[in-house]
Structures are given as C-alpha cells and as structure tokens.
Amino acid sequence: PTFDAAFHLGPQIEARANHPEVADKIFLRQGDRDWTYRQYRDESVRYAHFLQRRLGTISDERPGNVAMILENHLELLALYGGCGYDGLKLFGVNTGLRGETLAGVLNQSRSRVLVVDQRLEAEVEKIRGDLQYLAPENILVLRTDPDRPTSGHDLEKAIANEVAPFGKSLDAPSVEVTPNDVLMVIYTSGTTGLPKGISNNHMKMLMIGMAVSANLELGPDDVGYACMPLFHSNALYLGFHPAFHVGGTL
C-alpha cells in the first residue's frame, strides 16, 4: 500500500488509519494485547489532546517538552504518536538512570510532563525535590501491575477523566507541524559523562523507516520484534518505523 500524506508523523498515522487495506490490520502486539492501525491512531490522538490540556500555553519559557521513563509498552508508542500530532518534543529517558543523573537529565530536558513506568516510580520519588520544571500533578504513572497500588497520579485515569475513555475516537488536534520540527530527543548512553540528548525531527525518523524497510525488502505481511528499548534509537529506527512505513506489524 502507498500513503499520500504530509511527511510528519500525525498525517502519516492518519493515512494508515484511513487506508482500506491497512486500517484494521494489527500494527502493534504486546503480550495478549493487539492494536490495529486505527486503534493506534485513536490512542495517539487521545494522548495528544491530554498533553495539550496538561501543557497549556507553549512558549520559550514554557516549552512543549514531554519526558518518559518507560519500559516497552503500547502506551509508550501512543505517547510518541501524541507528541507527533501536537508538534511536541518527547525525551526518551534511559530507564537505568538513577539519582543525581536522572534528575540532571530531566532538568536538562525542561520537560513539563513526565510519564513513568509504575515499576520505576520509586526512583522518581527519590528525586522529586530536585526536579525544577515538573509540577507534581504532571508526573503520571503508567500502571503495569494492577494488583499493586501506586503513590502517583494514574495516567490512564487522568486521560479518561480529562479527555475520553480508552477506545474513543476523537478528531485529531489542529496543530501546525512541519517535517523539520523535532519529534524526539534520544539520549546517548552516557559512557563518557552525562547522557547527551540528540534531536531527531519528523523527517529523519520517517526517512529511516523508509530506508531500512527498503534495504530489508520488508512488506505489509512482515512482522518485526522490538527486543531493544523503545526509548532508544535501535528499536525505533529498526523496529517501529520500518514496520510503520510498510503497513506491517511490530
């Protein structure tokens, strides 16, 4: 299938979600959960509206920056898609960072919303007093263990209460985004000092998917497996975007 859309993430998601051959195909699979391309679109849009509400007015003093400390989950990719629709910068913070280094990266990012994996929320609690830009209500926890209580603000409950429940299809937000806008800041591993953020715009992320899928001769019937962390380059460059480009499955 071919997709005629502007070359940034939001329109590319829309093109696949509205394509008669692709919309109802399984795009993402995690454990016993499946999302079609249409469901991925709807979740990305739901996240986009939520982020707009939480960030409010965006300016140089109030940047549209969002950070995540997440293991691989479908919701991580919905957050990525939501930032794409909104023209926001998503900062992929390494889940192995702790203490002063973690606080330093979050402060350097100037992120005003943070989504943290429930399994890692205790590490954020330890440094909460050192965070300069994150209001307590904008530190949101992705529940990964429903049987264990969380001390933070539940991400899914917040989105459902403020925007719409899971599965609701909403109109995409009206935001002017260009292919040259930064989509994600991916950090180096920090082997020679503090991790350094590398800016990746929409065009770069989409072009990598196009190039890798062509080099590997991938097609819509192919299934990729993301064994590396999706907050880093490998799983996005070689997993998510090649599958996304050809209308395949990850």
Side-chain angles (χ1 to χ4, degrees):
T2 57
F3 309 101
D4 183 16
F7 212 60
H8 47 96
L9 188 58
Q12 292 291 321
I13 294 174
E14 291 288 318
R16 286 156 179 78
N18 291 310
H19 194 289
E21 298 173 26
V22 177
D24 295 319
K25 274 193 61 180
I26 299 299
F27 174 31
L28 301 172
R29 173 169 289 152
Q30 179 193 11
D32 59 359
R33 295 196 299 162
D34 294 332
W35 283 2
T36 65
Y37 275 88
R38 194 190 311 274
Q39 287 173 306
Y40 177 63
R41 178 265 177 207
D42 288 346
E43 283 307 290
S44 295
V45 168
R46 204 167 64 101
Y47 273 61
H49 285 293
F50 176 73
L51 292 172
Q52 284 187 335
R53 288 179 59 90
R54 286 302 181 103
L55 288 168
T57 302
I58 293 173
S59 65
D60 290 341
E61 293 74 29
R62 294 170 51 83
N65 295 353
V66 178
M68 62 178 179
I69 309 173
L70 293 171
E71 302 289 357
N72 286 4
H73 302 290
L74 302 184
E75 291 80 4
L76 181 159
L77 294 169
L79 186 67
Y80 179 67
C83 287
Y85 274 100
D86 282 341
L88 306 175
K89 295 179 186 177
L90 179 61
F91 289 75
V93 180
N94 193 310
T95 56
L97 299 184
R98 299 288 186 269
E100 182 180 341
T101 303
L102 177 58
V105 167
L106 289 172
N107 288 333
Q108 186 275 335
S109 76
R110 298 178 68 210
S111 293
R112 296 192 292 121
V113 169
L114 169 65
V115 178
V116 58
D117 196 304
Q118 183 180 7
R119 290 171 290 191
L120 299 166
E121 65 173 318
E123 301 303 327
V124 175
E125 283 298 314
K126 294 175 184 177
I127 60 165
R128 185 188 286 264
D130 299 322
L131 301 178
Q132 300 172 6
Y133 301 98
L134 284 160
E137 64 272 16
N138 279 342
I139 300 176
L140 299 136
V141 177
L142 175 63
R143 297 290 298 273
T144 51
D145 184 355
D147 297 325
R148 184 166 61 89
T150 175
S151 58
H153 299 275
D154 187 305
L155 172 69
E156 176 52 38
K157 285 185 178 178
I159 299 176
N161 289 338
E162 297 176 31
V163 178
F166 176 85
K168 180 73 172 178
S169 184
L170 305 171
D171 290 339
S174 179
V175 180
E176 185 175 340
V177 183
T178 76
N180 291 322
D181 289 339
V182 175
L183 171 57
M184 186 170 176
V185 175
I186 298 176
Y187 283 89
T188 62
S189 298
T191 51
T192 58
L194 286 176
K196 301 167 184 66
I198 309 300
S199 294
N200 299 271
N201 63 23
H202 289 247
M203 181 179 292
K204 174 182 175 180
M205 302 303 284
L206 293 168
M207 286 292 291
I208 287 174
M210 178 187 294
V212 170
S213 61
N215 288 340
L216 298 180
E217 299 182 349
L218 299 180
D221 294 330
D222 287 316
V223 179
Y225 174 59
C227 59
M228 299 288 279
L230 284 161
F231 61 75
H232 217 295
S233 52
N234 182 287
L236 287 172
Y237 293 170
L238 304 180
F240 176 85
H241 273 287
F244 178 75
H245 182 75
V246 298
T249 301
L250 182 67

